[in-house]
């Protein structure tokens, strides 16, 4: 029986619970196994598949949705990690699916290579990141999964299948929420290493909205944060540069990110949660203290931030042209209903892509994300805001909270039926489904 043979690696069975980064999603799987390598993975998956069990693979647990939960067999493949092969000429690099992005970035850097774009933290695994459509910001740049040229995926029979660029199997596998099998490795198209000049600066929100097209056009990576109840945005621009490095010192990072942003921010948010009427005042204070800062560093160091305040998040992908109007409506809703949302809203952009159920499938995209401290209630507010996003044919980030299900999601994705065709072919027994997969992709 699976589990009995792998006691040494078993993280728990029938007793040990697992929970995600934010702490709101937890499960108690029948077996929770950290797999030692690909051979062992094949044995475990083959045996569990033949026994009709349901298998879920977990990455770093940084999804806010119940996407990595299991009440049956939960696999941790963090030992299947690291660069497997690299071709500096073409930039093609094969990596184990359990590789943490921070480690991937360091390994690529040693090879003189880099990922062209990344999200705002680097704690996720590459498999977890691509599976939910994780993205950074940049009008000309698609999400991380679009860098995948080839993927090796293990099916319920314990066999590995390789999917190449141009096939529907790869287009489905790139963003699949774990539903098609266990990703074993991915071959990424990387770029020569580069440095970024980052400027964080406060700007009038109305000006940001009016100039949004220009700002996203002129800057390789543009995003902004805005606190409800204020009209000041914190803009973040990041552009390639050949100027000498001017990294933030460790002390600056520690003081800025860890102590001020996270430590004091955490206390402030907890207090604000208790005294809800103080939220608008807190927001105004926060924006009053915003100032301009700059940094020039290796791209991956500029992309990644420390995030230690634990929160819940919902993020929707909207057609690019509807971004400013939708954001205005979200701010108006929050302000009119005195929503106790004490964290800023984040606005990013990306190019469209062709992964079958990517949030940015086939359209240039604006992402709008709302956050709530994990000690504060989020659901009624997220539901109300989701109502606005749905009016613009918004698509939810698969790893961030939303309240949608397969029936109403299908019409939003032009190639939904093709994805389901690949799913029927690769996982006809639904070995790789869990409650979340069944809810959002159907039985
Ligand atoms: C602080 C914070 C910041 C974030 N910033 C961003 C951001 O900037 N941009 C953005 O888009 N998202 C962001 N996210 C969301 C995050 O990137 C995604 O939720 C991502 O999926 C998490 O990766 P993970 O490794 O933790 O995977 P998990 O959350 O553990 O799993 C995610 C999915 O991947 C599947 N999976 C994992 N490994 C495998 C495998 N080997 N084979 C098949 N399926 C697998 C799981 O079953 C699950 O469906 C952020 C989240 C947090 C908590």
């Amino acid at each position: 029986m699976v589990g009995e043979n792998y006691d040494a690696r078993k993280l728990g069975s029938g007793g040990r619970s697992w929970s995600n980064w934010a702490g709101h999603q937890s499960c108690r799987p029948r077996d929770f196994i950290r797999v030692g390598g690909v051979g062992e993975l094949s044995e475990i998956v083959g045996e569990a598949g033949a026994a009709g069990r349901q298998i879920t693979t977990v990455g770093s647990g940084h999804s806010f949705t119940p996407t990595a939960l299991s009440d049956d067999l939960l696999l941790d493949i963090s030992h299947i990690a690291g660069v497997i092969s690299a071709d500096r000429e073409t930039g093609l690099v094969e990596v184990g699916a359990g590789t943490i992005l921070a480690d991937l970035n360091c390994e690529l850097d040693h090879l003189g290579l880099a990922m062209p774009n990344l999200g705002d933290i680097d704690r996720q695994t590459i498999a977890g990141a691509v599976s939910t459509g994780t993205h950074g910001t940049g009008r000309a740049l698609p999400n991380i999964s679009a860098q995948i040229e080839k993927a090796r995926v293990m099916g319920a029979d314990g066999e590995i299948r390789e999917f190449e660029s141009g096939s529907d199997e790869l287009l489905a596998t790139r963003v699949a929420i774990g539903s098609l099998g266990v990703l074993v490795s991915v071959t990424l198209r990387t770029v020569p290493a580069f440095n970024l000049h980052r400027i964080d600066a406060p700007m009038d929100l109305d000006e940001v909205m009016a100039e949004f097209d220009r700002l996203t056009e002129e800057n390789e990576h543009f995003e902004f944060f805005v606190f409800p109840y204020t009209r000041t945005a914190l803009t973040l621009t990041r552009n390639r540069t050949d100027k000498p490095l001017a990294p933030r010192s460790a002390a600056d990072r520690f003081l800025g990110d860890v102590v001020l942003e996270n430590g004091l921010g955490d206390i402030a948010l907890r207090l604000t949660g208790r005294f809800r009427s103080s939220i608008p005042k807190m927001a105004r204070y926060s924006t009053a203290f915003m100032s301009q800062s700059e940094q020039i560093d290796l791209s991956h160091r500029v992309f990644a931030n420390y995030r230690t305040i634990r929160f819940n998040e919902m993020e929707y992908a909207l057609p690019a042209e509807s971004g400013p109007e939708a954001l205005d409506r979200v701010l108006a809703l929050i302000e009119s209903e005195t929503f106790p949302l004490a964290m800023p809203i984040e606005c990013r952009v990306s190019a469209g892509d062709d992964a079958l159920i990517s949030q940015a499938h086939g359209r240039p995209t604006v992402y709008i994300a709302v956050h709530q401290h994990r000690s504060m209630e989020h659901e009624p507010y997220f539901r109300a805001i989701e109502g606005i996003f749905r009016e613009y044919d918004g698509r939810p980030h698969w790893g961030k909270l939303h309240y949608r299900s397969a029936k109403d999601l299908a019409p939003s994705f032009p190639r939904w039926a093709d994805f389901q065709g690949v799913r029927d072919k690769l996982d006809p027994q639904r070995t790789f489904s869990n409650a979340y997969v069944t809810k959002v992709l159907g039985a």
Side-chain angles (χ1 to χ4, degrees):
M1 280 295 293
V2 168
E4 283 163 18
N5 293 341
Y6 297 96
D7 270 342
R9 306 218 178 269
K10 238 158 80 169
L11 298 175
S13 65
R16 172 149 180 227
S17 60
W18 176 92
S19 59
N20 70 339
W21 176 87
H24 269 66
Q25 307 291 354
S26 61
C27 62
R28 214 174 268 276
R30 218 172 106 198
D31 289 298
F32 183 12
I33 301 175
R34 180 172 295 144
V35 178
V38 177
E40 189 175 274
L41 178 68
S42 169
E43 266 182 72
I44 295 173
V45 170
E47 203 179 316
R53 296 186 62 176
Q54 285 202 308
I55 304 171
T56 300
T57 313
V58 65
S60 306
H62 275 63
S63 293
F64 299 92
T65 49
T67 182
L69 299 190
S70 166
D71 52 16
D72 196 343
L73 175 57
L74 187 63
L75 297 178
D76 171 330
I77 62 151
S78 51
H79 288 319
I80 303 177
V83 169
I84 297 165
S85 66
D87 181 337
R88 289 181 195 202
E89 293 280 294
T90 59
L92 293 177
V93 177
E94 185 183 9
V95 296
T99 310
I100 302 287
L101 292 179
D103 299 334
L104 171 66
N105 293 332
C106 288
E107 289 202 59
L108 290 180
D109 195 41
H110 286 136
L111 293 163
L113 300 170
M115 294 291 283
N117 199 8
L118 287 164
D120 60 16
I121 59 159
D122 57 10
R123 302 291 119 182
Q124 310 94 317
T125 59
I126 184 70
V130 298
S131 295
T132 61
T134 294
H135 61 90
T137 191
R139 186 171 168 149
L141 295 157
N143 66 23
I144 297 176
S145 90
Q147 301 311 125
I148 299 181
E149 284 289 319
K150 209 190 281 181
R152 295 174 73 232
V153 182
M154 188 173 288
D157 54 2
E159 297 297 320
I160 292 177
R161 288 165 191 83
E162 194 163 288
F163 303 133
E164 305 260 350
S165 187
S167 65
D168 267 8
E169 283 82 358
L170 188 71
L171 292 178
T173 300
R174 273 179 17 206
V175 180
I177 334 171
S179 68
L180 302 180
V182 183
L183 268 168
V184 175
S185 71
V186 290
T187 300
L188 300 163
R189 181 170 291 284
T190 65
V191 297
F194 60 100
N195 298 335
L196 283 175
H197 184 184
R198 169 174 167 168
I199 302 177
D200 296 3
M203 194 171 161
D204 180 74
L205 178 64
D206 296 319
E207 200 184 330
V208 176
M209 302 277 235
E211 298 287 316
F212 191 65
D213 266 355
R214 180 184 63 76
L215 291 164
T216 56
E217 180 73 47
E218 285 179 0
N219 294 291
E220 285 166 279
H221 309 272
F222 176 80
E223 68 177 290
F224 67 93
F225 290 86
V226 58
F227 281 95
Y229 306 101
T230 73
R231 297 307 286 178
T232 308
L234 180 68
T235 61
L236 275 62
T237 56
R238 304 179 192 97
N239 289 293
R240 285 173 185 241
T241 183
D242 294 326
K243 289 185 194 158
L245 293 192
R248 292 173 69 190
S249 66
D252 186 24
R253 270 194 107 164
F254 181 75
L255 272 174
D257 286 0
V258 180
V259 178
L260 289 173
E261 187 187 328
N262 292 310
L264 296 184
D266 194 46
I267 295 166
L269 281 168
R270 280 164 198 264
L271 286 176
T272 312
R274 290 187 42 209
F275 305 105
R276 293 177 172 199
S277 57
S278 62
I279 289 178
K281 211 183 286 171
M282 269 286 302
R284 286 182 205 113
Y285 280 145
S286 303
T287 46
F289 283 107
M290 280 178 192
S291 59
Q292 178 156 334
S293 67
E294 292 192 41
Q295 172 191 15
I296 299 177
D297 210 335
L298 306 178
S299 58
H300 65 90
R301 288 200 209 142
V302 173
F303 286 128
N305 300 285
Y306 289 116
R307 291 270 184 270
T308 57
I309 291 184
R310 303 280 164 132
F311 53 83
N312 275 299
E313 180 175 347
M314 175 173 76
E315 185 178 55
Y316 258 75
L318 311 177
E321 62 282 2
S322 52
E325 184 184 302
L327 176 64
D328 244 348
R329 288 185 58 193
V330 170
L331 285 169
L333 177 72
I334 294 173
E335 289 163 12
S336 71
E337 302 282 337
T338 53
F339 271 37
L341 282 189
M343 295 185 73
I345 296 174
E346 186 177 13
C347 221
R348 292 182 278 186
V349 290
S350 85
D353 69 79
D354 53 1
L356 303 184
I357 58 162
S358 161
Q359 300 89 320
H361 179 93
R363 65 188 194 197
T365 293
V366 164
Y367 295 89
I368 302 179
V370 290
H371 313 79
Q372 177 74 307
H373 191 278
R374 71 169 171 177
S375 68
M376 295 167 71
E377 190 181 28
H378 59 265
E379 184 167 337
Y381 318 112
F382 285 7
R383 278 187 185 274
I385 293 167
E386 179 173 78
I388 295 180
F389 292 147
R390 287 188 65 170
E391 286 182 42
Y392 295 92
D393 190 25
R395 298 169 182 157
H397 188 304
W398 297 117
K400 301 191 183 181
L401 293 171
H402 66 91
Y403 306 96
R404 310 280 298 274
S405 51
K407 200 159 161 254
D408 64 75
L409 285 163
S412 251
F413 293 87
R415 296 205 59 194
W416 184 267
D418 297 323
F419 180 87
Q420 297 295 353
V422 174
R423 189 174 170 219
D424 288 343
K425 188 169 135 196
L426 299 184
D427 187 29
Q429 306 301 327
R430 303 297 190 246
T431 301
F432 300 101
S433 287
N434 58 10
Y436 179 73
V437 167
T438 304
K439 181 174 182 220
V440 301
L441 296 180

